[in-house]
Amino acid sequence: MAQDEAAAAAAAEPVVSLPVYVSASVPPSSRLELFQYPLYARGRPLPVPATAAQRGQRVTSRWRPHANRVEMEIPLDMRETVYNHDRGMEWAENSASMGVIPTPGEPTVKQEDRAMDAPSRFDRMRLESHAVPNATHYMVGTVRDGELHLVPLDAVLQLRPSMQHVDLMSQAEDQNRRMPTSDDEGDAQDARRAHVVPLNVSMRTEAQARTALTPRFGAQASSGLATQRDAEAERWVDLRFSEAQGADQLLAQQREPLACTTHIRDLF
């Protein structure tokens, strides 16, 4: 028993003590956000296949500042051994309305041509951001020369694959199934020739009834829909994506060490 207590006490002892500084190096006009990629390997750059790099493709991104939404496009590996070209043509045809995320600095004409012309293959995977709720105040830390520098984060976003192309594909398949045959077209024409009697009907849905009974719920729902509409109407800002390391910019310029008021044993 005494040996276990001694081992626990030894494990609770700090390995090293570092002075901690809070950095204010990020300008007020800028934002520092942490991007998480749950489906990609940690500590590695986003994968850009060699074949995509040879085609001149790169990671592109855009941002809606007020809604704080980020989208990225990552080129796909289109080698015959790993890519279904027939299926890729179907995806490209049905997801043409999604357009592409341009690279800042490209000529305007080139960007318009890329947005209007559907790619012959579905050659990009789009990622969209999902905000991580703030359970506390998050910071990012940098250890340099025996010092720990902390910088407050404005937000934490997880970027996951967008399923918009799947929805568009499903909609196209549903429309194809609903297309009338020759017999159905004849029946539809006969129905249009029939006498039409105008009829006004007022229907009250369950959601409307619940809204009428609970005004607070109705106000919250209306506010949420308005926020969603405003976010969708906001214009995208094209960003230049870079894997450059910028840890030096996060170091504190003024050395004012922080004093820890929590006992080391209270941390475990």
Side-chain angles (χ1 to χ4, degrees):
M1 186 68 178
Q3 294 180 352
D4 294 340
E5 293 179 355
E13 292 297 327
V15 178
V16 63
S17 296
L18 301 176
V20 182
Y21 306 101
V22 175
S23 175
S25 58
V26 179
S29 59
S30 302
R31 292 176 60 88
L32 181 63
E33 300 185 359
L34 178 64
F35 287 2
Q36 298 177 345
Y37 305 91
L39 301 184
Y40 294 95
R42 184 173 64 89
R44 297 181 181 179
L46 292 178
V48 177
T51 54
Q54 294 174 359
R55 298 194 303 266
Q57 291 183 322
R58 66 187 70 178
V59 178
T60 56
S61 59
R62 60 185 181 182
W63 176 46
R64 280 175 169 161
H66 295 289
N68 196 28
R69 292 184 180 178
V70 177
E71 287 187 350
M72 289 185 178
E73 283 186 341
I74 301 179
L76 297 177
D77 191 348
M78 299 179 63
R79 291 176 298 165
E80 295 286 346
T81 55
V82 296
Y83 186 85
N84 188 332
H85 286 266
D86 293 335
R87 191 64 171 173
M89 292 181 62
E90 296 180 9
W91 288 118
E93 180 180 358
N94 293 288
S95 62
S97 60
M98 294 175 57
V100 296
I101 300 178
T103 302
E106 287 187 354
T108 305
V109 176
K110 184 177 180 180
Q111 292 183 4
E112 292 177 353
D113 292 342
R114 291 177 59 186
M116 294 177 60
D117 297 336
S120 58
R121 297 291 189 275
F122 187 79
D123 57 356
R124 298 174 180 86
M125 172 59 68
R126 180 166 297 184
L127 307 179
E128 59 184 12
S129 65
H130 300 270
V132 177
N134 291 329
T136 181
H137 296 286
Y138 294 109
M139 294 187 176
V140 61
T142 302
V143 177
R144 179 69 59 85
D145 298 331
E147 299 174 340
L148 175 59
H149 301 260
L150 299 178
V151 184
L153 288 173
D154 293 296
V156 179
L157 302 180
Q158 286 191 356
L159 284 101
R160 300 177 179 272
S162 171
M163 295 292 105
Q164 185 178 357
H165 62 286
V166 178
D167 296 337
L168 293 174
M169 188 71 174
S170 300
Q171 293 175 8
E173 292 176 349
D174 291 342
Q175 291 178 358
N176 292 334
R177 285 194 296 265
R178 294 174 182 175
M179 290 183 62
T181 61
S182 58
D183 296 338
D184 295 337
E185 291 178 355
D187 296 340
Q189 292 177 359
D190 294 339
R192 285 194 295 268
R193 296 192 189 99
H195 181 63
V196 178
V197 179
L199 180 63
N200 296 327
V201 179
S202 177
M203 299 182 63
R204 189 176 189 181
T205 63
E206 181 180 355
Q208 291 173 340
R210 185 168 58 251
T211 301
L213 294 176
T214 56
R216 180 179 299 178
F217 174 83
Q220 293 177 352
S222 300
S223 177
L225 292 175
T227 303
Q228 179 71 16
R229 287 194 300 267
D230 293 341
E232 295 296 336
E234 185 180 358
R235 297 186 60 181
W236 289 104
V237 177
D238 298 330
L239 303 177
R240 183 174 296 277
F241 182 83
S242 175
E243 292 280 1
Q245 302 294 329
D248 293 340
Q249 301 177 3
L250 303 180
L251 302 180
Q253 302 300 323
Q254 298 180 357
R255 299 296 196 272
E256 296 181 0
L258 301 179
C260 182
T261 60
T262 303
H263 195 274
I264 187 64
R265 295 181 179 178
D266 297 335
L267 300 177
F268 299 95

